[in-house]
C-alpha cells in the first residue's frame, strides 16, 4: 500500500475517532431493571424529551422484558428521539436462558424502521471460577447467538477485566472466535485500580493486551488502545491514570424515567488519536515495506575478517560479561539455562557484572524478578548488543540460551560475536543446541558464529555432529543442556521438603505445547493447526485415562505463558475442551514463575511431557513421564530419550496410538519407583559430564554436593 493510500484509509476508518464525533453526549442509556412492562410511560416520555438530540441509545437488558414491552420501549424511543439512528441492546444477564422471542421482535422492528441495531454482550465481572464461566457461556447460548443473532445483526462483546476474572480473558476471546463474534472490546475495570492487581496478574494482563494489539485488533484505533493498556500494565505504577478522553457523561434511566447512577456500559474508548499518530504509523509501515524489499533483494555478507584470539578466556578473570540469546522470548527452560549460566559465572567470578540482551524487555523484566542473580542486571536490546562502546566494556560475550537455529535474531548474535572478535573478547557458546536450520542465510550465519567462537560446548552429540558438518574446525565440546544442572540443584535444595510430604493419592502433570513450523518445516499454518487439533484430541484421551483408570489428579502446567513463542495455556484449553467435565483436571490459568512451575511439577508423581525442557525438568526431579516427541529422528527430544535409555516411553507427535500410549502409561505407573530412580541416576551422569566439560574447557571445577537418589 502506498503512503498516500495508507493515510486515506487511516482517515476514512478513524476520522470520527480523531475529532470526537461520537462523543458521550450523544449517548443515552436505558436500563430495563423491572419485570413489569412499562408502568410509567409518561415519566419516561418526559425524560426523553430532554434528550431529543441523542442519536444513539444503549438499552441495558438485565432480565429480558416480554416481547410486547420491548416493542413499546422501541416505539417510544423512535417517537421521542427524532435523531435516533442507532440502538445497542446490552444483554447483561447471560447466566439464565433468555426470552429470545423478545429479541426477534425488536430485530424485526428495527429493520422496518431503519434503525441500526446491534447487540453487546458484557461478561459478568464476578466470574472467578471455571464453573461460573461455563454456566454463562453455555452450549445453548452459543447456538442461540449463532442462529438468532449473528445471521441477522452485528453482535459485539465487552469484557471488563478485574482481579477476579482476568485469568478468563483468553476464554472469552476463544468464545468470541468460536461463535463468530468479530467485534469485541476488553477494557480494565475503573475500580479497582492497578494497585489492586498483584505483579503476576499485571504481567498476565499486559501480555494479553499486547497480544490483542498485535493479532486481534480490527483497526489502528484498537491496536493503539491495547498498546497503551499494555504499557500501562507492564510498568509498576502505583495507580491507573484516568484516560477518559470523552467529554460529558452518559445519562442512564430505567424504563420508568428514574435516573440510575454508576451504570456505564459505554463501548467507546477514545485512545486520544492524533493525525501525527497516523503519520508515524504510515512512515513506519512504508519503512518496513522498503526494508523488507531490501532484505529480500540484497544478499547480506557475513564476512568476519581475521579470527582474533581472546585476551581473557579465563572465566575467573571476567569482570563484565554480556549474555545473549533468545531472552525476551524465554520459556521456563530458557530461564533454567540462564540460571545455570549465571551460577557458572558467579562461581568463577562472584563480583562479575552481567549485561543481558533482550528481544522484548517486558518479558525479561519479569524474568529478572524470578532469578536472584539477575537483580542488578543491565538489559540491552539485542539489536544494540553489538555497539563498540558496549562490547569494549566486556571481557566475554556468551551465547547462552536457546539453540543456534532458524531465526532472524541469529543475525544480531552474529553482529555481537563479530564486534567481540574485532575487540579480542572471549566468545563463548554455552550449552546451546544447533538446529533446526532451514535457509542458506541462517546456515551461513551459524558457520560464521562457529568460526568466531573461542570456547564452549553444545548440549548433545547430535548438535556437536551438526556443528562439525557446518564447520569442522570448531572448538566446541558436548555435554548436556545446562538446565539439567539448574533443576537438579533446585531439587537438592528442596529435598527435605519432599521427604516430609505424605500423599494419599497420585498427582499428575502435563507439560504440553502446540507444534509450530519450526519443527514441521514446509507445512502451512492451517495444516499445522489441524494437526494440533488432532493432537489435542489424542492428549485428552491420555489425560482422561490418568483420571479414570488411575484416579490421578492432573494439573495442566505451562512452560511458556507470554504470547511470544506460543502460550501453552491456550493449547491446554484445547485439550481440556475435549475431556469430560467430571474428571479431576485443573488448568493452571495463572502465570507461573520458574519457582512456581518447579513447585507444582515437583508435587507430581507422573507427567506427560511434550516440551523439550518438560522432559528435562521431569527427569531432573525424578518424575516418571511419557514423552511426546515433536522434533523427530535426530531431533533434541529423540536425542535425549536415547541418551538416558528412555526411548521405550516415547510417543511420536502426530502418531500417538491411544491403545499403545495408555498401556505405556499403565506400565510406567506400575514401575514408577524404578524409573524415578533411573531418571535421577541419569541426571547425575549428565551433570557429571557437564562438570567435566567445565573443567576441560574453562579449567573450572564445580563442587556441587551429590546426594544419593535414594
Amino acid at each position: 500500500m502506498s503512503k498516500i493510500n495508507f493515510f486515506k484509509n487511516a482517515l476514512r476508518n478513524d476520522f470520527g475517532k480523531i475529532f470526537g464525533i461520537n462523543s458521550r453526549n450523544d449517548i443515552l442509556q436505558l436500563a430495563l431493571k423491572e419485570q413489569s412492562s412499562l408502568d410509567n410511560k409518561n415519566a419516561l416520555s418526559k425524560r426523553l424529551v430532554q434528550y431529543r438530540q441523542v442519536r444513539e441509545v444503549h438499552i441495558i437488558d438485565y432480565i429480558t422484558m416480554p416481547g410486547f414491552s420491548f416493542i413499546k420501549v422501541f416505539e417510544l424511543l423512535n417517537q421521542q428521539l427524532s435523531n435516533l439512528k442507532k440502538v445497542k441492546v446490552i444483554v447483561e444477564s447471560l447466566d439464565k436462558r433468555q426470552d429470545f422471542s423478545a429479541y426477534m421482535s425488536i430485530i424485526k422492528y428495527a429493520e422496518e424502521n431503519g434503525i441500526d441495531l446491534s447487540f453487546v454482550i458484557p461478561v459478568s465481572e464476578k466470574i472467578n471460577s471455571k464453573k461460573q464461566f461455563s454456566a454463562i457461556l453455555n452450549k445453548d447460548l452459543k447456538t442461540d447467538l449463532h442462529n438468532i443473532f449473528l445471521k441477522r445483526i452485528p453482535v459485539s462483546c465487552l469484557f471488563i477485566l478485574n482481579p477476579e476474572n482476568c485469568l478468563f480473558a483468553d476464554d472469552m476471546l476463544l468464545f468470541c472466535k468460536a461463535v463468530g463474534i468479530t467485534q469485541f472490546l476488553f477494557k480494565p475495570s475503573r475500580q479497582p485500580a492497578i494497585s489492586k492487581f498483584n505483579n503476576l496478574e499485571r504481567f498476565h494482563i499486559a501480555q494479553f493486551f499486547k497480544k490483542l494489539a498485535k493479532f486481534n485488533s480490527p483497526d489502528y484505533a484498537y491496536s493503539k488502545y491495547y498498546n497503551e493498556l499494555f504499557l500501562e500494565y507492564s510498568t509498576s505504577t502505583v495507580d491507573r491514570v484516568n484516560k477518559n478522553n470523552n467529554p460529558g457523561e452518559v445519562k442512564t434511566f430505567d424504563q420508568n424515567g428514574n435516573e440510575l447512577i454508576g451504570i456505564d456500559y459505554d463501548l467507546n474508548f477514545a485512545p486520544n488519536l492524533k493525525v501525527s499518530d497516523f503519520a508515524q504509523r504510515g512512515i513506519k509501515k512504508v519503512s518496513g515495506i522498503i526494508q523488507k524489499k531490501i532484505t529480500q533483494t540484497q544478499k547480506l555478507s557475513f564476512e568476519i575478517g581475521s579470527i582474533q584470539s581472546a585476551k581473557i578466556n579465563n572465566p575467573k578473570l571476567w569482570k563484565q560479561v554480556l549474555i545473549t540469546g533468545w531472552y525476551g522470548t524465554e520459556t521456563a527452560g530458557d530461564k533454567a539455562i540462564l540460571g545455570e549460566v549465571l551460577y557458572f559465572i558467579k562461581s568463577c567470578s562472584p563480583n562479575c557484572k552481567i549485561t543481558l540482551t533482550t528481544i522484548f524487555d517486558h518479558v525479561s523484566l519479569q524474568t529478572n524478578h524470578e532469578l536472584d542473580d539477575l537483580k542488578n542486571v543491565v538489559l540491552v536490546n539485542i539489536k544494540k548488543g553489538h555497539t563498540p562502546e558496549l562490547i569494549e566494556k566486556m571481557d566475554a560475550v556468551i551465547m547462552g540460551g536457546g539453540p543456534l537455529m532458524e531465526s532472524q535474531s541469529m543475525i544480531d548474535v552474529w553482529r555481537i560475536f563479530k564486534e567481540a572478535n574485532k575487540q579480542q573478547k572471549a566468545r563463548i557458546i554455552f550449552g546451546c543446541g544447533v538446529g533446526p536450520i532451514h535457509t542458506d542465510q541462517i546456515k551461513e550465519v551459524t558457520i560464521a558464529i562457529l568460526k568466531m567462537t573461542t570456547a564452549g560446548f553444545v548440549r548433545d552429540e547430535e548438535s556437536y555432529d551438526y556443528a562439525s558438518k557446518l564447520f569442522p574446525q570448531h572448538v566446541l565440546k558436548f555435554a548436556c543442556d545446562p538446565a539439567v544442572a539448574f533443576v537438579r540443584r533446585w531439587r537438592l535444595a528442596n529435598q527435605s521438603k519432599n521427604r516430609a510430604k505424605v500423599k494419599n493419592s497420585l498427582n499428575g502433570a502435563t507439560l504440553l505445547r502446540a507444534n509450530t513450523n519450526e519443527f514441521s518445516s514446509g507445512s502451512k499454518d492451517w495444516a499445522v493447526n489441524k494437526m494440533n487439533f488432532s493432537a489435542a484430541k489424542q492428549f485428552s484421551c491420555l489425560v482422561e485415562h490418568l483420571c479414570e483408570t488411575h484416579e490421578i489428579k492432573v494439573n495442566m502446567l505451562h512452560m511458556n505463558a507470554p504470547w511470544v513463542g506460543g502460550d501453552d495455556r491456550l493449547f491446554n484449553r484445547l485439550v481440556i475442551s475435549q475431556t469430560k467435565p467430571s474428571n479431576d483436571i485443573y488448568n493452571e490459568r495463572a502465570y507461573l514463575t520458574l519457582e512456581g512451575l518447579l513447585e507444582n511439577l515437583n508435587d507430581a508423581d507422573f507427567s506427560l511431557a511434550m516440551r523439550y525442557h518438560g522432559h528435562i525438568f521431569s527427569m531432573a526431579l525424578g518424575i516418571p513421564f511419557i514423552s511426546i516427541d515433536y522434533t523427530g529422528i535426530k531431533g533434541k527430544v529423540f536425542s535425549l530419550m536415547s541418551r538416558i535409555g528412555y526411548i521405550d516411553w516415547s510417543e511420536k507427535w502426530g502418531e500417538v496410538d491411544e491403545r499403545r500410549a495408555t498401556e505405556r502409561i499403565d506400565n510406567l505407573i506400575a514401575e514408577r519407583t524404578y524409573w524415578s530412580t533411573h531418571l535421577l541416576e541419569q541426571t547425575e551422569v549428565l551433570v557429571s559430564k557437564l562438570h567435566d566439560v567445565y573443567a576441560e574447557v574453562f579449567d573450572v571445577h564445580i563442587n556441587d554436593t551429590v546426594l544419593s537418589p535414594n
Side-chain angles (χ1 to χ4, degrees), residues 99-111:
D99 178 8
F100 284 104
S101 62
Y103 294 144
M104 291 303 296
S105 65
I106 62 172
I107 290 172
K108 183 178 179 181
Y109 182 88
E111 290 172 345

Side-chain angles (χ1 to χ4, degrees), residues 301-463:
S301 173
F302 298 106
E303 293 296 326
I304 54 180
S306 60
I307 304 298
Q308 304 294 322
S309 60
K311 292 179 180 178
I312 308 175
N313 231 0
N314 186 349
K316 298 173 185 176
L317 302 178
W318 292 344
K319 295 180 180 178
Q320 289 198 60
V321 169
L322 175 69
I323 303 175
T324 190
W326 311 137
Y327 303 113
T329 64
E330 59 262 28
T331 66
D334 296 324
K335 295 174 189 177
I337 293 173
L338 181 57
E340 178 62 17
V341 175
L342 294 167
Y343 180 80
F344 172 83
I345 293 172
K346 294 298 184 178
S347 296
C348 300
S349 179
N351 297 318
C352 184
K353 295 181 180 179
I354 306 296
T355 300
L356 182 69
T357 68
T358 177
I359 299 173
F360 296 104
D361 60 357
H362 51 89
V363 176
S364 293
L365 286 169
Q366 174 57 39
T367 301
N368 288 1
H369 293 300
E370 299 178 29
L371 293 171
D372 290 337
D373 288 329
L374 285 179
K375 296 300 183 188
N376 299 313
V377 75
V378 176
L379 291 177
V380 175
N381 188 285
I382 193 171
K383 295 190 177 301
K384 298 180 180 179
H386 67 283
T387 57
E389 297 80 10
L390 177 65
I391 298 299
E392 184 180 6
K393 300 175 184 177
M394 304 299 153
D395 297 309
V397 297
I398 298 176
M399 173 62 183
L404 303 176
M405 59 174 282
E406 187 66 38
S407 169
Q408 286 300 303
S409 292
M410 280 285 288
I411 297 175
D412 297 311
V413 176
W414 166 76
R415 290 190 175 110
I416 292 170
F417 268 55
K418 182 179 179 182
E419 184 60 36
N421 175 62
K422 182 179 179 181
Q423 297 193 34
Q424 294 183 279
K425 308 295 183 178
R427 286 92 62 193
I428 310 297
I429 291 178
F430 198 97
C432 298
V434 182
I437 297 172
H438 306 305
T439 64
D440 291 338
Q441 183 189 58
I442 299 304
K443 184 181 292 185
E444 191 176 348
V445 169
T446 304
I447 292 171
I449 292 172
L450 291 171
K451 287 180 178 179
M452 291 184 285
T453 300
T454 57
F457 63 97
V458 290
R459 70 179 173 217
D460 51 37
E461 192 170 2
E462 284 74 13
S463 295

Side-chain angles (χ1 to χ4, degrees), residues 68-83:
F68 174 77
S69 301
F70 230 145
I71 288 294
K72 291 296 183 182
V73 171
F74 256 64
E75 289 175 347
L76 188 59
L77 290 172
N78 204 24
Q79 293 167 5
Q80 298 293 335
L81 307 178
S82 56
N83 292 326

Side-chain angles (χ1 to χ4, degrees), residues 17 22 221 225 228 243-246 267-273:
K17 295 186 181 73
N22 292 320
Y225 172 67
E228 286 181 351
K243 293 187 176 181
N244 178 14
N245 297 308
N246 283 321
L267 299 187
N268 295 324
F269 48 87
N272 199 26
L273 289 170

Side-chain angles (χ1 to χ4, degrees), residues 100-164:
F100 284 104
S101 62
Y103 294 144
M104 291 303 296
S105 65
I106 62 172
I107 290 172
K108 183 178 179 181
Y109 182 88
E111 290 172 345
E112 292 174 349
N113 290 273
I115 298 174
D116 184 1
L117 177 66
S118 61
F119 278 72
V120 179
I121 304 173
V123 176
S124 172
E125 296 187 49
K126 298 179 181 179
I127 294 174
N128 58 16
S129 72
K130 178 183 176 182
K131 184 176 180 180
Q132 287 178 319
F133 191 87
S134 299
I136 290 176
L137 303 182
N138 55 63
K139 183 178 180 181
D140 291 334
L141 173 63
K142 292 180 182 180
T143 303
D144 289 328
L145 280 173
H146 187 268
N147 293 336
I148 298 177
F149 290 123
L150 295 173
K151 291 183 178 180
R152 298 285 295 273
I153 57 173
V155 176
S156 55
C157 197
L158 173 65
F159 196 102
I160 309 295
L161 291 165
N162 60 33
E164 289 186 336

Side-chain angles (χ1 to χ4, degrees), residues 194-226:
I194 276 186
S195 59
K196 298 298 182 181
F197 293 86
N198 64 42
N199 289 336
L200 296 184
E201 288 170 341
R202 280 205 297 268
F203 180 71
H204 167 80
I205 295 172
Q207 293 302 305
F208 180 74
F209 283 139
K210 187 64 177 178
K211 177 174 67 175
L212 291 177
K214 193 168 182 67
F215 300 113
N216 300 103
S217 294
D219 57 37
Y220 177 46
Y222 278 84
S223 180
K224 186 174 188 293
Y225 172 67
Y226 288 133

